[in-house]
Amino acid sequence: MKIGLLSVQNHNYGSILQAYALQTVLMEQGNDVAIIRYKKTNLLKQASRLLYYPLLRATVRMKWKTIYCKTFQKQVYHTILASREKAFSDFVEQNMQFSQVYKGRDALVKGVENYDAFVLGSDQVWNPMNLGGDFFTMTFIPDSVKKVTYAPSFGVSEIPKNQQAKTAAYLTRIDHISVREKDGARIVKELTGRDVPTVVDPTILLDRSVWDSKTTERLVKEPYIFCYFISTNPAYRTFAKRLAEKTGLKLVAIPHVDEYVKADSGFGDMVPQGIGPLESVNLIRNAAYVCTDSFHGSVFSTLYHRHFFTFSRYAKEGGDSTNSRLYSFLEMIGLEDRLTDPQAEIDLHEINFANADGRLAQMREQSENYLKAALKGECI
């Protein structure tokens, strides 16, 4: 079967890892899979999307990091950001398969004819900030072509009222829906009346032996604490420093992940260069401890049985908070206690991963069955 995969292609660790994982799983099932490349040409429509404040803020942060570092933090740009960007580009070129670039809506609609089915997944493709792009809604695909979703996330616990009707309309057209967290299943139920399954993130669906084969050699030889923070909260860095003092281990950090973070300047005993997607997995796999506010940081820490401390990425009351997927994951595997208050005393008791492994194995099997059945057009 020839499948068009709709997925986030940003040079973000979680986004690239999940896209690679889902494409690999689909190809292992015997499919010909291409990640769809679409270049929007309606500049006025795209500009109007920035009226949605969370998207405007995210766009400004992303652009500002590069501009600011090129101008005022040249060493950070050249030693960290540029080498990281090259590592991402090399990984994408060497490990992922893409379609031709469809320029404009007409070309995209015409390109549908080349595929037997489309799979949407995963990451925050249904985040309200993406609605205006009208790509992850799958509305360009006719009713006659199979449309399947695998573990998409809304990223939020509620859909803005002014988007609910449009969201319900595009969800109704999709043949088979699965989501990544309970909040997503609830949203689909409230908007469409459909009960949909919750499946594991593609990085979990892909057998760990694949990750092992690509992360064989340790990047850091001595024992260390790996710090992978996306938010700007300095309290998380302070917690990591306290952990280093308690254990006597050095801190290895990936700074300025989504934006330039003042608290990252001078943070970490070691700041490796050229850390792409696989290198980030390597650093988690071989760490003695992991401190993170990342969903995928928590996922890989669980897969590799690392002693990890997870922090909320957003304030709970934030309207654009994406905490729900992290909370859902920890609840799903029975490790809610890994959600850490940065002000709390550091507890180094061993983590029992046996229960989490059992739950993940069961959900992985259910998720694989869903994906195979959906592509065959069978009832789930």
Side-chain angles (χ1 to χ4, degrees), residues 258-269:
D258 271 7
E259 57 186 298
Y260 178 78
V261 180
K262 187 176 181 179
D264 278 344
S265 297
F267 174 72
D269 300 298

Side-chain angles (χ1 to χ4, degrees), residues 63-137:
K63 299 296 184 184
W64 177 247
K65 178 177 74 171
T66 301
I67 295 172
Y68 179 82
C69 289
K70 276 186 174 181
T71 307
F72 301 107
Q73 299 288 339
K74 294 183 179 180
Q75 184 177 3
V76 169
Y77 177 77
H78 291 291
T79 61
I80 298 175
L81 301 186
S83 65
R84 183 188 302 167
E85 184 67 16
K86 183 179 185 307
F88 268 91
S89 297
D90 289 346
F91 173 81
V92 169
E93 181 179 350
Q94 296 166 14
N95 294 281
M96 302 172 74
Q97 306 296 319
F98 293 89
S99 72
Q100 68 182 73
V101 178
Y102 297 108
K103 296 182 179 180
R105 193 76 171 183
D106 291 343
L108 182 63
V109 171
K110 181 67 175 177
V112 170
E113 300 174 1
N114 299 320
Y115 298 90
D116 301 309
F118 284 84
V119 175
L120 172 70
S122 296
D123 213 58
Q124 297 180 50
V125 289
W126 283 343
N127 191 297
M129 71 174 63
N130 289 324
L131 184 63
D134 212 18
F135 176 65
F136 297 127
T137 60

Side-chain angles (χ1 to χ4, degrees), residues 138-150:
M138 307 184 90
T139 54
F140 64 92
I141 306 169
D143 292 338
S144 58
V145 177
K146 190 178 302 176
K147 296 171 284 297
V148 175
T149 76
Y150 184 83

Side-chain angles (χ1 to χ4, degrees), residues 206-237:
L206 184 62
D207 192 88
R208 206 187 87 173
S209 63
V210 177
W211 300 118
D212 290 344
S213 68
K214 292 181 174 293
T215 58
T216 53
E217 185 176 348
R218 288 180 64 109
L219 298 179
V220 179
K221 305 304 181 183
E222 61 187 282
Y224 61 90
I225 300 166
F226 179 49
C227 302
Y228 174 24
F229 297 124
I230 301 175
S231 73
T232 62
N233 195 330
Y236 301 165
R237 280 82 174 170

Side-chain angles (χ1 to χ4, degrees), residues 226 239 243 284 288-292 294-295 297-303 305-311 326 329-330 333 335-340 347 351 353:
F226 179 49
F239 178 95
L243 179 61
I284 292 174
Y289 299 91
V290 176
C291 295
T292 187
S294 157
F295 171 81
S298 301
V299 165
F300 280 103
S301 294
T302 303
L303 292 179
H305 291 186
R306 297 301 87 195
H307 195 131
F308 71 104
F309 301 88
T310 291
F311 305 89
L326 178 57
F329 172 70
L330 294 176
I333 61 175
L335 290 180
E336 301 97 319
D337 65 336
R338 302 323 305 159
L339 192 63
T340 304
D347 185 353
I351 303 172
F353 285 100

